[in-house]
Amino acid sequence: MCYFSLIAVLWVVGLAVNGDFFVCEKGFLDDQFTQLQQLQDDSNPNFVVEVVSLFFEDSERLLNELTKALDQQTVDFKKVDAHVHQLKGSSSSIGAQRVQKVCIDFRSYCEEKNVEGCKKCLQQVKNEYSLGKSKLETLFKLEQQLLDAGGSIPMQ
Amino acid sequence: MNASFSSSSSSKGMMDHGDQPHVLAVDDNLIDRKIVEKLLKNSACKVTTAENGLRALEYLGLGDDQNNTSNVSGLKVNLIITDYCMPGMTGYELLKKIKESSVMKEVPVVIMSSENIPTRINKCLEEGAKMFMLKPIKQSDVKELRCQLMKYGS
């Protein structure tokens, strides 16, 4: 039991020391995420997890709204665009650059009132979002294991 | 941080409140509100957030019921930082209302936007915005803001 934790700790330390190898692989998160990590301090030691959790909740709400809006007989592109604008904003603020990139294309399709294009983008956003979310959740779990094992997270 | 305070000056800028200016941050995006709040707190500011222009005006005592302000703490606001794109009232419209008010017009207003549109930026600066900041906002942007505004009123 103890041996296993030690291995986990060493592995996570390796990842953490390696800097952004893990989550930034294939460019999921950009420098903005690092900015958030640097904002975290003793007065708010859970800042990053809190912001990212808010992002998950808000994004899932927006993705549901988008699905509903694009399913309508007559699509309200103004509404769709407003939702995508929100999603683009929050993903940019936490550094989720792949989600943000798809949102840019998504907004172009909205402007063109292209339903098929929009639906395609929605699917892409959902994919990128799921991928990013599972990576972040894994990162947080590993960080927690490291903290539980008595280690500390080296901040960049 | 050692700021020098001149009590003889009548500046209503960031200077006459000790080390902790009180900032009103306005943004309809929940995540952005949380981040801006932390950025400002990390720069030794007291922060109040509002989710839209109307709430911001109410807080400042410029709402429909002008005798009533929801600023319960009574803390004077030294800086207003607002997002541009908000439903209902844009940051630009909020800026205009603040500049039209005899009580609030001296308070510096900073506009944030995720979109780098020169006509938009110029419009805001012409209407009296102190600064325009491009999102996503970084710690270095807030530090720069602090520096710029410490000069104001001196």
Side-chain angles (χ1 to χ4, degrees):
Chain A
M1 201 58 151
C2 225
Y3 183 67
F4 204 96
S5 313
L6 183 60
I7 298 297
V9 167
L10 288 174
W11 183 35
V12 176
V13 170
L15 288 175
V17 163
N18 224 335
D20 25 46
F21 140 76
F22 186 67
V23 197
C24 286
E25 130 201 17
K26 296 195 194 149
F28 274 100
L29 294 179
D30 65 21
D31 182 60
Q32 190 58 23
F33 186 72
T34 313
Q35 289 276 325
L36 293 187
Q37 288 176 312
Q38 289 171 347
L39 281 180
Q40 185 160 292
D41 57 19
D42 290 336
S43 73
N44 196 340
N46 297 316
F47 178 69
V48 179
V49 173
E50 284 171 11
V51 176
V52 174
S53 303
L54 274 177
F55 172 70
F56 290 159
E57 274 175 43
D58 202 49
S59 302
E60 277 155 41
R61 177 187 63 89
L62 288 168
L63 291 173
N64 284 336
E65 294 295 322
L66 282 166
T67 310
K68 270 193 282 187
L70 287 172
D71 258 342
Q72 301 299 311
Q73 278 275 33
T74 320
V75 174
D76 180 352
F77 286 102
K78 248 183 111 186
K79 200 177 188 186
V80 173
D81 184 71
H83 291 322
V84 179
H85 175 80
Q86 284 284 311
L87 186 56
K88 176 170 161 283
S90 4
S91 55
S92 159
S93 296
I94 70 145
Q97 61 175 355
R98 284 164 62 134
V99 173
Q100 184 197 355
K101 281 196 172 78
V102 181
C103 286
I104 294 172
D105 293 339
F106 204 151
R107 292 194 83 190
S108 301
Y109 285 121
C110 281
E111 238 175 292
E112 295 168 18
K113 298 199 174 10
N114 181 338
V115 179
E116 282 318 302
C118 283
K119 285 183 167 172
K120 207 178 60 171
C121 277
L122 177 59
Q123 194 49 56
Q124 267 182 293
V125 169
K126 284 178 172 174
N127 293 343
E128 292 298 348
Y129 171 75
S130 296
L131 277 169
K133 180 175 180 184
S134 74
K135 281 188 181 286
L136 279 166
E137 284 176 330
T138 310
L139 176 69
F140 292 146
K141 222 180 290 177
L142 286 172
E143 283 184 346
Q144 193 55 54
Q145 280 177 6
L146 176 58
L147 290 170
D148 290 345
S152 61
I153 317 282
M155 281 303 158
Q156 293 161 22
Chain B
M1 160 165 274
N2 57 2
S4 57
F5 310 111
S6 72
S7 50
S8 57
S9 97
S10 58
S11 92
K12 289 188 188 151
M14 303 254 295
M15 307 263 294
D16 38 321
H17 49 259
D19 286 327
Q20 301 235 325
H22 179 208
V23 184
L24 175 64
V26 191
D27 199 317
D28 61 315
N29 187 308
L30 183 54
I31 287 101
D32 286 349
R33 270 203 307 281
K34 190 168 169 87
I35 294 174
V36 151
E37 182 181 33
K38 189 73 167 87
L39 280 167
L40 290 166
K41 282 186 171 163
N42 277 24
S43 282
C45 295
K46 290 200 260 290
V47 187
T48 301
T49 59
E51 58 186 0
N52 59 47
L54 274 177
R55 293 268 175 282
L57 289 175
E58 277 169 20
Y59 185 81
L60 296 169
L62 301 178
D64 279 336
D65 181 0
Q66 296 235 345
N67 293 321
N68 204 13
T69 165
S70 57
N71 181 353
V72 180
S73 67
L75 261 182
K76 200 170 94 161
V77 171
N78 304 115
L79 168 70
I80 298 160
I81 180 165
T82 176
D83 190 23
Y84 182 91
C85 276
M86 295 189 292
M89 184 187 299
T90 65
Y92 175 72
E93 287 159 354
L94 175 60
L95 165 68
K96 274 176 72 170
K97 287 237 153 41
I98 291 166
K99 292 304 170 188
E100 282 164 12
S101 143
S102 47
V103 185
M104 287 284 141
K105 67 179 176 194
E106 296 301 317
V107 179
V109 180
V110 172
I111 311 269
M112 305 180 277
S113 177
S114 54
E115 289 162 317
N116 190 353
I117 299 172
T119 46
R120 173 183 292 184
I121 299 173
N122 289 331
K123 190 174 75 167
C124 290
L125 294 174
E126 275 165 26
E127 195 61 39
K130 268 288 172 284
M131 259 178 107
F132 187 97
M133 285 165 65
L134 208 51
K135 282 176 157 186
I137 312 287
K138 302 179 180 357
Q139 191 71 76
S140 54
D141 295 327
V142 177
K143 289 202 157 79
E144 167 72 18
L145 173 63
R146 268 297 225 139
C147 278
Q148 286 283 332
L149 291 169
M150 287 306 269
K151 291 185 206 159
Y152 174 67
S154 61

